[in-house]
Amino acid sequence: MAVQTVIRAGQHGSPPPAEVVLAYSRDKFSVPANVDIIGTMNTADRSLTLLDTALRRRFDFVPLMPDTRGEREPGNPNSAPLADLVVSTDAGVIDVRQLLQLVNERIEALYDRDHCIGHAYFTSLAGVKDGPGRFGLLADIFRNRIVPLLEEYFFEDWRKIRLVLGDNQKQDLAAQFITESDAHEQDLT
């Protein structure tokens, strides 16, 4: 959208300091002086490279890494969203915070820090009672969101994806997300 900018100084009920005229409607648009606009963008999305470069020239960027803190801040119930979040299974207890931290350490080692998986993928687990239902949701998160994301990150390099998921360390094939196969294509002619 093309805009023309008109800058005015204003406080205490006077017009806001920045006002733009919208290109098509010619309506005036402004944001009150007491409102901050915060935009988020996934730096891993390279289709936004030109936009990212333009924004970085004009604004401050504060990296927000996945929140894997183990303890909440006193008086702030929204801090450390994965603290004490566990998934109980017949095979043991999965600490979601530690799981995410380990997966992200592997992603950072194999790719880079910008491709770490955010904690928001797992916050929905808190709304489900611990047990089989929560485990099913965790499995769905990996199957439908994490593994496809890793496929994109690593261009379907399944060996790297297996390393990120720790499948190379699991003896039980049923516990692996992705299994290696020595199967060869058969000549069907």
Side-chain angles (χ1 to χ4, degrees):
M1 174 185 344
V3 295
Q4 296 175 351
T5 304
V6 177
I7 297 179
R8 296 183 179 149
Q11 292 180 352
H12 309 294
S14 61
E19 187 174 88
V20 295
V21 177
L22 301 176
Y24 295 113
S25 68
R26 309 306 295 163
D27 292 338
K28 292 180 180 179
F29 176 79
S30 62
V31 176
N34 65 342
V35 174
D36 291 329
I37 298 177
I38 300 172
T40 62
M41 183 169 70
N42 185 348
T43 58
D45 189 346
R46 296 299 171 208
S47 66
L48 299 174
T49 302
L50 295 176
L51 177 62
D52 180 43
T53 302
L55 290 172
R56 286 180 187 276
R57 286 194 310 258
R58 293 168 178 84
F59 300 98
D60 292 337
F61 274 65
V62 178
L64 296 174
M65 299 308 292
D67 189 348
T68 57
R69 293 176 292 163
E71 295 182 22
R72 289 183 170 78
E73 296 171 9
N76 185 355
N78 297 320
S79 67
L82 303 181
D84 303 320
L85 184 59
V86 297
V87 178
S88 299
T89 70
D90 294 338
V93 175
I94 301 167
D95 183 323
V96 177
R97 180 189 66 79
Q98 289 179 343
L99 170 76
L100 178 61
Q101 192 168 351
L102 186 59
V103 165
N104 280 336
E105 287 171 6
R106 292 171 179 166
I107 290 172
E108 190 171 345
L110 292 168
Y111 203 166
D112 63 29
R113 169 179 110 140
D114 288 339
H115 288 79
C116 287
I117 295 170
H119 59 270
Y121 282 101
F122 300 97
T123 55
S124 62
L125 293 168
V128 177
K129 183 180 176 191
D130 188 22
R134 188 180 279 178
F135 180 73
L137 180 56
L138 180 62
D140 286 345
I141 290 168
F142 269 90
R143 183 180 311 106
N144 300 323
R145 301 186 75 195
I146 304 300
V147 171
L149 186 63
L150 294 173
E151 285 179 59
E152 183 179 320
Y153 284 177
F154 294 105
F155 304 102
E156 296 185 14
D157 182 340
W158 297 105
R159 291 189 182 187
K160 285 184 180 176
I161 295 168
R162 284 177 46 79
L163 289 171
V164 168
L165 299 172
D167 284 344
N168 61 317
Q169 300 172 19
K170 301 172 188 166
Q171 299 301 318
D172 182 7
L173 291 179
Q176 296 180 13
F177 288 96
I178 299 159
T179 57
E180 284 190 285
S181 173
D182 291 332
H184 299 283
E185 288 186 42
Q186 295 179 359
D187 187 359
L188 299 176
T189 57

